[in-house]
Amino acid sequence: MAKVISESIEKFYHHYPRVAVVVTAQAGGRDNAMAAAWHVPLSFSPPLYGVAISPKRFTYQLIVDSKQFGINFLPFEAAELIASVGGSQGQEIDKFQRFNIARDKLVKTAVPILKAAYAAYECRLVDDRDYGDHRLLVGEIEVVHWLKEAFTPEGILDLAKVSPALYLGNELYLTASRDSVRRLDREVYGKR
Amino acid sequence: MAKVISESIEKFYHHYPRVAVVVTAQAGGRDNAMAAAWHVPLSFSPPLYGVAISPKRFTYQLIVDSKQFGINFLPFEAAELIASVGGSQGQEIDKFQRFNIARDKLVKTAVPILKAAYAAYECRLVDDRDYGDHRLLVGEIEVVHWLKEAFTPEGILDLAKVSPALYLGNELYLTASRDSVRRLDREVYGKR
């Protein structure tokens, strides 16, 4: 089947689905939470995690002011919470109060960690780089909060226990297909 | 349920599943392809896409030499192809020949675009930044190749037509759950 060729690129969504996270921040006594899908691991050693955020966002300012942010991974059952924080403005309301968002106890930073998260990273900002209409905020992961029963002994998400919240674009949320999992050992396939 | 707190972080996989892509490159008459899951959109205008790659990889050198790379999004049926290119060394073999990988016609760059991809980006390198044990290569998307029937009129992946290949870590591949899709309009949920 021949493909369409587009050289004038506006919005592009071919790369979805992506895990939908809630990015949290606090500064000057204000807490906030936003939804994000443009996030990426960058290094194991040191452990670095990046998230692309528009500098117009209130969360961006809080992160720059405090040099800290949280990344919260949520189950599909919490997709409404993600849509709620994604559709509201932290400059106008306290989202934690409005949406009755429960928190976990913090360890090293002052960023809110969501109780509903099956895993969360407390990050310290180490880079803030301009990329077009977004900025890539990179944090060193200082603490991981994780629900033991949500992961296998190898540290892999156990889909029999947790269904991750994924975003497909255009306000569509979904999860992973637990029944489709296949093990394909690269050492075997790479040697064919 | 109380969470485990980890302050000594080695490998971390909590952020999976992620779409598994094949990154392609060419320089000096050599083509190569590698599997990657650490990729991220960074900007709509200009259209920027990033991928984190270890500088030890042959593909990294080809990209730096040519200032071009390709990002190929593949269906779940092609997961064996992803594992094959992920488990082999481009310095030692011609992966395209070994794994019999078909290509599409190129438009603006010299990077191979995979025929099996439901979408692919031809990118021109605009940034190469050091982050710990990886480097983030950022490209401006110059051309999008996409299979029209794989996307809805809004440009969203149509899961009735294509099952995307996702990676869970630890050699496990899976796809998205088509039946789980829910529309949660942020404008509605943000106003609750």
Side-chain angles (χ1 to χ4, degrees):
Chain A
M1 202 79 70
K3 287 175 197 145
V4 179
I5 303 295
S6 300
E7 296 187 53
S8 170
I9 300 143
E10 292 185 7
K11 303 272 175 174
F12 53 98
Y13 302 99
H14 318 84
H15 52 81
Y16 287 95
R18 305 183 68 84
V19 166
V21 300
V22 169
V23 179
T24 47
Q26 76 76 37
R30 296 290 304 274
D31 288 345
N32 200 25
M34 64 171 277
W38 293 13
H39 54 92
V40 65
L42 291 167
S43 169
F44 282 123
S45 178
L48 300 178
Y49 210 84
V51 59
I53 297 181
S54 162
K56 296 176 188 166
R57 306 296 296 261
F58 183 50
T59 299
Y60 173 78
Q61 202 52 59
L62 294 180
I63 295 173
V64 168
D65 289 351
S66 66
K67 310 279 187 234
Q68 300 178 343
F69 63 92
I71 300 282
N72 297 267
F73 300 94
L74 293 161
F76 186 53
E77 297 74 40
E80 294 183 6
L81 171 62
I82 300 170
S84 297
V85 303
S88 50
Q89 304 293 332
Q91 268 149 324
E92 295 164 13
I93 61 160
D94 177 338
K95 299 189 193 183
F96 286 86
Q97 190 169 47
R98 170 77 69 94
F99 303 118
N100 196 23
I101 303 175
R103 304 156 191 242
D104 278 337
K105 206 175 152 188
L106 291 164
V107 180
K108 281 216 178 165
T109 69
V111 296
I113 294 297
L114 275 52
K115 197 176 274 295
Y118 55 81
Y121 299 151
E122 287 184 48
C123 299
R124 194 165 300 277
L125 188 69
V126 296
D127 198 24
D128 172 7
R129 190 147 173 96
D130 185 17
Y131 287 114
D133 50 31
H134 284 62
R135 295 190 70 95
L136 182 66
L137 298 176
V138 177
E140 178 162 349
I141 304 172
E142 300 218 321
V143 182
V144 179
H145 300 240
W146 55 287
L147 212 51
K148 193 170 184 182
E149 56 271 37
F151 294 90
T152 68
E154 295 78 31
I156 306 301
L157 193 62
D158 185 343
L159 297 176
K161 307 286 174 56
V162 172
S163 298
L166 309 181
Y167 186 64
L168 192 59
N170 206 25
E171 318 297 329
L172 300 174
Y173 294 81
L174 72 163
T175 191
S177 165
R178 171 183 159 190
D179 298 333
S180 68
V181 177
R182 291 183 64 195
R183 185 180 174 91
L184 300 175
D185 191 327
R186 74 186 77 187
E187 295 301 324
V188 173
Y189 283 88
K191 300 289 175 294
R192 288 188 305 171
Chain B
M1 201 79 70
K3 286 175 197 146
V4 178
I5 303 295
S6 299
E7 295 188 54
S8 169
I9 300 142
E10 292 185 7
K11 302 273 175 172
F12 53 98
Y13 302 99
H14 318 83
H15 52 81
Y16 286 94
R18 306 182 68 84
V19 166
V21 300
V22 169
V23 179
T24 48
Q26 77 75 39
R30 297 290 304 273
D31 288 346
N32 201 26
M34 64 171 277
W38 293 13
H39 54 93
V40 64
L42 291 166
S43 169
F44 282 124
S45 179
L48 300 179
Y49 210 84
V51 60
I53 297 181
S54 162
K56 296 176 188 167
R57 305 298 295 262
F58 183 50
T59 299
Y60 173 78
Q61 202 51 59
L62 294 178
I63 295 173
V64 168
D65 288 351
S66 66
K67 309 277 187 237
Q68 299 177 343
F69 63 92
I71 300 281
N72 297 267
F73 300 94
L74 294 161
F76 187 53
E77 296 74 40
E80 295 184 6
L81 171 63
I82 301 170
S84 297
V85 304
S88 50
Q89 304 294 332
Q91 268 149 323
E92 295 164 13
I93 61 161
D94 177 338
K95 299 189 194 183
F96 286 87
Q97 191 170 45
R98 170 77 69 95
F99 304 117
N100 196 23
I101 302 175
R103 304 156 192 244
D104 279 338
K105 206 175 152 187
L106 291 164
V107 180
K108 281 214 177 166
T109 68
V111 296
I113 294 297
L114 275 52
K115 197 176 275 293
Y118 55 81
Y121 300 151
E122 287 185 48
C123 299
R124 195 166 300 278
L125 188 68
V126 296
D127 198 24
D128 172 7
R129 189 149 174 95
D130 185 17
Y131 287 114
D133 49 32
H134 284 62
R135 294 191 71 95
L136 183 67
L137 298 176
V138 177
E140 179 161 348
I141 304 172
E142 300 220 320
V143 182
V144 179
H145 300 241
W146 55 288
L147 211 52
K148 192 170 185 182
E149 56 271 36
F151 294 90
T152 69
E154 294 79 30
I156 304 302
L157 192 63
D158 185 343
L159 297 177
K161 307 286 175 56
V162 171
S163 298
L166 308 181
Y167 186 62
L168 192 59
N170 206 23
E171 317 298 329
L172 300 174
Y173 293 82
L174 72 165
T175 191
S177 165
R178 172 184 159 190
D179 298 333
S180 68
V181 177
R182 291 183 63 194
R183 186 181 174 90
L184 299 175
D185 191 328
R186 72 186 78 187
E187 295 301 325
V188 173
Y189 282 88
K191 300 291 174 295
R192 288 187 306 169

